[in-house]
């Protein structure tokens, strides 16, 4: 476990107490039952803004606190434990990261302060199919004088129904499958030619499918040089992978806590079932897997803060190892609880559904095992 500063400990404690008191799983369940299209409660989001979590990555000159990725990860983990839904990760983490790494001074000055105060929700639109594959981008950005015209689709866009702006990955050169030739554009959600529709997913969040039908954007909306966004996009995605890993740790550790509590209280044959050797050994194996995943997840966030040369390897290792743990842990949560674990009234199913979606976001375990091997030269 990472050694936290006093400030990080205070923020973690704040996130723990707030999430359990103000955004417990019961609130997420109520929102799911209501079928809210945006996938989060406005009051929950407003409270996060007021607590300053939207400015954790943003430098002070743009209204933030610049406390780094490990600090943000601590918050995401605590929110993951309660399945708290909000645009915090999509906008204040991924959107802000994209602007910090790829935006120019004008774009940063225009959008970062509004991300911090919550008036803008900026989210990344990258994938176009069920699998994470940035190089498979087919959405086209065609130059037309001092403008670009975007045509294509995006799917599984996080918080896509509530976003005010999208950072869109589009191809301005090359062909589908090329890692080169990609560009980033910041696009208003209400621009002519852009339509979005809500997507129903098992984790009941606010995903959207976007259609770009001759959407015109100006040179000022281009982030970085045209056709050269491949490298910076990888950097943005790696930070997103580390952040989603922190939330996955929260989901998995809460699943472990629920399972351990059940093992300590459920009785059969006159004894708590946790006293049976087979179940005790299974719990020990899950705990060891959780701690290994935590080490990988926190190390990735620390590598980002340290601006290390090993960020890509650390982030792929983290996404793969945390994904392995979460997959096994969410299965065991259901299996050890038996019949009750299969019911909708019990929370285990909510954790399992969220786990399956988080595993696939920004690349599943197979994607990152392959990428990690290639980065090591295998």
């Amino acid at each position: 476990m990472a050694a936290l500063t006093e400030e990080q400990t205070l923020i973690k404690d704040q996130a723990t107490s707030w999430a359990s008191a103000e955004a417990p799983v019961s609130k997420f369940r109520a929102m799911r039952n209501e079928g809210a299209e945006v996938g989060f409660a406005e009051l929950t989001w407003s409270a996060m803004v007021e607590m300053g979590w939207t400015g954790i990555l943003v430098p002070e000159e743009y209204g933030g606190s610049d406390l780094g990725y490990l600090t943000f990860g601590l918050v995401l983990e605590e929110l993951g434990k309660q399945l708290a839904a909000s645009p915090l990760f999509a906008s204040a983490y991924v959107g802000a990261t994209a602007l910090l790494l790829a935006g120019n001074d004008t774009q940063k000055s225009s959008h970062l302060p509004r991300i911090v105060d919550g008036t803008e929700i900026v989210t990344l639109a990258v994938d176009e199919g069920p699998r994470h594959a940035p190089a498979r981008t087919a959405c086209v950005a065609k130059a037309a004088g001092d403008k670009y015209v975007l045509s294509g689709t995006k799917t599984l866009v996080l918080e896509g129904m509530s976003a005010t702006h999208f950072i869109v990955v589009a191809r301005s050169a090359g062909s589908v499958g090329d890692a080169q030739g990609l560009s980033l554009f910041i696009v208003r959600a209400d621009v002519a030619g852009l339509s979005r529709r809500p997507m129903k997913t098992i984790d009941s969040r606010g995903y959207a499918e976007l259609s770009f039908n001759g959407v015109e954007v100006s040179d000022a909306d281009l982030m970085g040089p045209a056709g050269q966004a491949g490298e910076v996009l990888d950097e943005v995605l790696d930070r997103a992978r580390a952040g989603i890993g922190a939330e996955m740790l929260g989901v998995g550790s809460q699943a472990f806590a629920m399972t351990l509590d059940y093992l300590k209280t459920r009785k059969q044959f006159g004894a708590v079932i946790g006293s049976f050797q087979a179940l005790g050994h299974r719990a020990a194996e899950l705990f060891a897997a959780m701690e290994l995943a935590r080490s990988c997840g926190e190390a990735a966030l620390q590598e980002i803060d340290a601006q290390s040369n090993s960020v890509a390897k650390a982030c792929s290792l983290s996404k793969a190892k945390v994904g392995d743990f979460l997959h096994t842990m969410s299965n065991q949560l259901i299996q050890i609880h038996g019949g009750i674990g299969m019911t909708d009234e019990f929370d285990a199913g909510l954790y399992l559904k969220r786990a399956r979606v988080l595993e696939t976001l920004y690349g599943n375990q197979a994607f990152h095992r392959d990428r990690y091997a290639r980065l090591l030269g295998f």
Side-chain angles (χ1 to χ4, degrees):
M1 180 177 290
L4 304 181
T5 65
E6 183 177 352
E7 191 170 39
Q8 287 170 330
T9 301
L10 287 171
I11 292 174
K12 178 180 171 63
D13 291 345
Q14 178 196 39
T16 302
S17 59
W18 181 84
S20 59
E22 304 298 332
V25 181
S26 57
K27 282 200 172 182
F28 170 74
R29 178 183 289 279
M31 184 200 68
R32 183 205 64 167
N33 293 344
E34 292 171 359
E37 188 176 83
V38 297
F40 63 88
E42 288 291 345
L43 288 177
T44 300
W45 174 229
S46 299
M48 292 179 181
V49 174
E50 289 175 6
M51 288 186 286
W53 293 349
T54 47
I56 289 177
L57 296 184
V58 178
E60 293 182 12
E61 63 184 297
Y62 302 116
S65 51
D66 200 9
L67 294 175
Y69 285 86
L70 178 60
T71 303
F72 211 134
L74 298 172
V75 174
L76 292 173
E77 180 178 347
E78 296 308 313
L79 297 178
K81 289 179 181 176
Q82 301 297 332
L83 302 181
S86 79
L88 186 71
F89 172 73
S91 183
Y93 188 101
V94 182
T97 293
L99 282 160
L100 288 168
L101 294 181
N104 56 37
D105 290 343
T106 302
Q107 290 163 341
K108 291 177 186 177
S109 300
S110 174
H111 297 288
L112 287 174
R114 293 173 182 165
I115 288 177
V116 174
D117 68 19
T119 54
E120 284 188 4
I121 295 176
V122 181
T123 186
L124 181 68
V126 55
D127 284 315
E128 300 176 9
R131 294 183 182 277
H132 178 60
R136 302 291 301 171
T137 296
C139 182
V140 174
K142 187 175 181 180
D146 60 350
K147 296 179 180 178
Y148 288 86
V149 180
L150 304 184
S151 301
T153 62
K154 295 290 176 183
T155 192
L156 285 171
V157 179
L158 276 66
E159 314 303 339
M161 294 309 297
S162 57
T164 60
H165 295 76
F166 299 101
I167 295 176
V168 180
V169 183
R171 181 169 297 285
S172 51
S175 55
V176 175
D178 291 343
Q180 305 302 318
L182 300 177
S183 299
L184 293 175
F185 296 90
I186 186 159
V187 181
R188 291 195 336 270
D190 60 355
V191 68
L194 171 57
S195 60
R196 52 183 169 181
R197 70 173 185 86
M199 300 180 69
K200 286 190 176 297
T201 56
I202 58 173
D203 63 343
S204 305
R205 304 298 174 110
Y207 303 95
E209 185 172 272
L210 310 182
S211 294
F212 298 86
N213 185 15
V215 173
E216 292 187 356
V217 293
S218 70
D219 278 341
D221 299 316
L222 176 65
M223 300 173 69
Q228 299 179 34
E231 187 174 334
V232 74
L233 176 62
D234 263 349
E235 294 178 14
V236 173
L237 289 171
D238 274 331
R239 283 151 180 78
R241 290 157 182 155
I244 210 75
E247 182 179 345
M248 292 165 74
L249 273 175
V251 175
S253 62
Q254 184 64 18
F256 178 80
M258 293 164 65
T259 303
L260 191 62
D261 182 65
Y262 187 72
L263 290 173
K264 289 179 177 178
T265 54
R266 177 77 165 96
K267 288 186 177 180
Q268 278 194 336
F269 310 113
V272 292
I273 60 175
S275 65
F276 304 148
Q277 191 176 53
L279 290 177
H281 284 181
R282 196 182 303 186
E285 289 173 357
L286 291 170
F287 179 78
M290 179 172 66
E291 292 307 296
L292 177 60
R294 178 176 301 286
S295 296
C296 295
E298 292 182 346
L301 293 164
Q302 289 176 310
E303 295 277 357
I304 296 170
D305 284 334
Q307 301 181 18
S308 155
N309 293 326
S310 301
V311 167
K313 284 183 284 190
C315 291
S316 273
L317 178 64
S318 165
K319 191 67 167 58
K321 296 303 292 184
V322 177
D324 285 344
F325 161 64
L326 183 57
H327 187 89
T328 301
M329 186 64 245
S330 53
N331 282 346
Q332 290 296 318
L333 172 64
I334 299 288
Q335 189 174 47
I336 291 176
H337 277 84
I340 188 176
M342 299 292 290
T343 64
D344 186 66
E345 290 76 10
F346 191 62
D347 290 337
L350 301 179
Y351 283 85
L352 179 75
K353 292 170 184 174
R354 182 61 174 160
R356 290 296 172 272
V357 175
L358 290 173
E359 286 177 46
T360 64
L361 287 177
Y362 304 122
N364 62 13
Q365 291 90 300
F367 177 97
H368 285 289
R369 275 194 289 268
D370 177 70
R371 184 172 184 255
Y372 184 71
R374 284 188 285 105
L375 289 169
L376 291 180
F378 294 159

